[in-house]
Amino acid sequence: MRTSALWASRWFVLAWSLAVLIPCPASELEWIVISEDGLGFEGLESGTSFSPWGFNYDHDRDGRLLEDYWQQDWPLVESAFREMKALGANTVRIHLQFGKFMEGPNTARTQALEQLERVVMLAEETELYIDLTGLGCYHKQDVPAWYDPLSEPQRWKAQAVFWEAVAKACASSSAIFCYDLMNEPVVAGGDKPREDWLGPAFGGKHFVQYVAIDRQARERSAVAKEWIDLLVAAIRKHDARHLITVGLVPWSLDRPGMTSGFAPAAVTQSLDFIAVHLYPEAGKLEEALETLQGFADVGKPVVIEELFPLKCSAAELGEFIDRSRGPATGWIGFYWGTSLEELRSAKTLPAAMTLAWLELFQAKRAAILGEE
């Protein structure tokens, strides 16, 4: 009996040691596809409904863009992903800067692609899906000197090279929820050409970018569709599986007043779903819901890819989220690397707004994801 007990003890110690020394592989994320009814998302194998619920991780607390610190401060990226997961997210939207990924019009940076693959592996490990947005020129000083002088066809070709390289690097990972071609693209209107490819700065960053600065008597939506179709084709050369969208401003709808040229009914045929950025205003929730319905009327899944209590209270944003369920099937807010504890101790208005958002995010999670 003593011998048996001794061997049993030794086997237990050996098994425990192996468990510690040989880490268990992270569970593989299920591929996400368009649901059978064409209006939402589901897991490919299980058929379980999927609603993107998460954060834009577009910069850190100091305003640095991801590529500014993702090598020297890699532990910061790791901790941010784990914090977003702990807050209840299932999706993280990252923003890739064109200038950080391209050596020249025809050549992508190998080092940047390798670091992107590292982020994708982190997403797999933390079980977070990635909304991968590309072609960013948020910091004007980082735009390559050779980029803006390119003609429109040359610029589009360089953008296609970017997306071919990114798609090739990410094609095999089920952690990629989607590729977002560009954040808030616009086709210039009027007959006078623009001089700048970027829209006005907001908070020191240029979030709006023009895909055409000279309309040349063309129909704006035709230009937008041609640009989308070109980049979708570039991605599909290497990746036939992942979903593709583009991040649209709310004034993309074909209505009187300012428009982007990206009227969703006219330009989204080759996209898998529609992504819209909506910031409801205080006392104007009906207007925001009407705008959302305009995108939903196209008949494809709609993800609200950006929202935040920027122009309304957290309570009103919560009401908007509740009432947007149906037209929308996904909601992505913001996380900038500051924990709830730090936000609670800070005594600033931005900290209070962010804290209110994160608390709302946690409170709504169960209902949105059907876990109540």
Side-chain angles (χ1 to χ4, degrees):
M1 291 292 293
R2 289 182 181 177
T3 302
S4 299
L6 179 60
W7 276 107
S9 176
R10 288 178 177 175
W11 275 112
F12 174 80
V13 172
L14 177 60
W16 180 86
S17 299
L18 289 173
V20 172
L21 294 174
I22 304 175
C24 295
S27 58
E28 184 176 349
L29 289 169
E30 189 173 14
W31 286 81
I32 300 300
V33 298
I34 301 298
S35 59
E36 286 193 16
D37 64 6
L39 299 177
F41 310 101
E42 64 186 20
L44 176 62
E45 293 83 12
S46 68
T48 303
S49 177
F50 175 78
S51 293
W53 180 249
F55 302 109
N56 282 267
Y57 180 51
D58 55 333
H59 61 76
D60 71 356
R61 66 179 72 189
D62 297 320
R64 296 185 302 170
L65 301 174
L66 182 58
E67 298 97 338
D68 294 336
Y69 60 90
W70 69 349
Q71 289 183 325
Q72 68 270 28
D73 289 336
W74 176 253
L76 184 63
V77 181
E78 289 185 311
S79 64
F81 268 66
R82 299 188 194 287
E83 177 71 13
M84 288 186 281
K85 181 67 175 181
L87 287 167
N90 62 21
T91 304
V92 175
R93 185 181 181 217
I94 63 172
H95 302 243
L96 305 184
Q97 311 310 301
F98 179 85
K100 299 291 186 178
F101 272 77
M102 298 296 291
E103 290 277 7
N106 302 308
T107 309
R109 298 179 191 272
T110 301
Q111 187 178 36
L113 292 168
E114 290 174 347
Q115 197 67 10
L116 172 60
E117 291 173 352
R118 193 179 184 187
V119 173
V120 173
M121 290 176 63
L122 176 61
E124 293 171 350
E125 179 185 343
T126 52
E127 298 184 2
L128 286 167
Y129 288 97
I130 291 180
D131 173 338
L132 195 161
T133 300
L135 302 179
C137 292
Y138 299 163
H139 285 172
K140 197 168 187 176
Q141 66 270 22
D142 292 335
V143 176
W146 51 262
Y147 191 36
D148 284 354
L150 296 177
S151 67
E152 180 185 297
Q154 291 171 332
R155 188 178 178 95
W156 288 16
K157 182 180 177 181
Q159 292 171 348
V161 172
F162 168 95
W163 272 117
E164 280 197 49
V166 169
K168 190 173 182 179
C170 299
S172 64
S173 177
S174 59
I176 300 296
F177 164 61
C178 72
Y179 300 121
D180 180 336
L181 300 178
M182 180 184 282
N183 185 75
E184 300 180 353
V186 175
V187 176
D191 297 324
K192 184 178 180 180
R194 285 180 54 86
E195 296 181 357
D196 194 347
W197 290 94
L198 302 180
F202 177 79
K205 294 177 172 56
H206 297 263
F207 294 107
V208 172
Q209 185 174 167
Y210 286 80
V211 303
I213 56 176
D214 187 353
R215 190 171 65 86
Q216 299 176 345
R218 296 172 295 178
E219 179 66 34
R220 294 172 74 202
S221 60
V223 177
K225 184 179 185 302
E226 183 181 356
W227 176 82
I228 288 174
D229 292 347
L230 175 73
L231 297 189
V232 169
I235 290 172
R236 293 302 183 216
K237 287 181 182 180
H238 303 285
D239 188 341
R241 300 187 68 176
H242 288 117
L243 305 177
I244 303 176
T245 189
V246 66
L248 299 179
V249 290
W251 34 279
S252 294
L253 294 175
D254 189 11
R255 293 174 173 174
M258 184 171 63
T259 60
S260 71
F262 279 74
V267 306
T268 60
Q269 288 89 336
S270 62
L271 299 179
D272 295 293
F273 69 94
I274 294 172
V276 59
H277 303 170
L278 275 176
Y279 297 84
E281 296 185 32
K284 298 181 178 180
L285 295 191
E286 297 296 337
E287 291 183 20
L289 290 165
E290 181 181 350
T291 296
L292 174 62
Q293 187 61 52
F295 287 88
D297 286 343
V298 174
K300 294 192 174 190
V302 176
V303 172
I304 303 177
E305 197 179 38
E306 290 185 16
L307 79 167
F308 192 76
L310 183 66
K311 302 177 181 179
C312 67
S313 67
E316 286 177 296
L317 185 61
E319 181 183 348
F320 172 75
I321 291 173
D322 289 341
R323 296 178 62 186
S324 67
R325 296 173 65 182
T329 188
W331 300 260
I332 303 177
F334 289 87
Y335 171 81
W336 296 301
T338 305
S339 68
L340 290 171
E341 292 72 20
E342 292 173 306
L343 291 169
R344 291 188 180 109
S345 62
K347 303 299 180 183
T348 65
L349 180 58
M353 293 173 63
T354 305
L355 176 61
W357 153 246
L358 293 179
E359 290 177 338
L360 174 67
F361 180 86
Q362 289 184 306
K364 293 292 182 186
R365 180 186 185 277
I368 292 294
L369 301 184
E371 297 177 351
E372 287 186 335

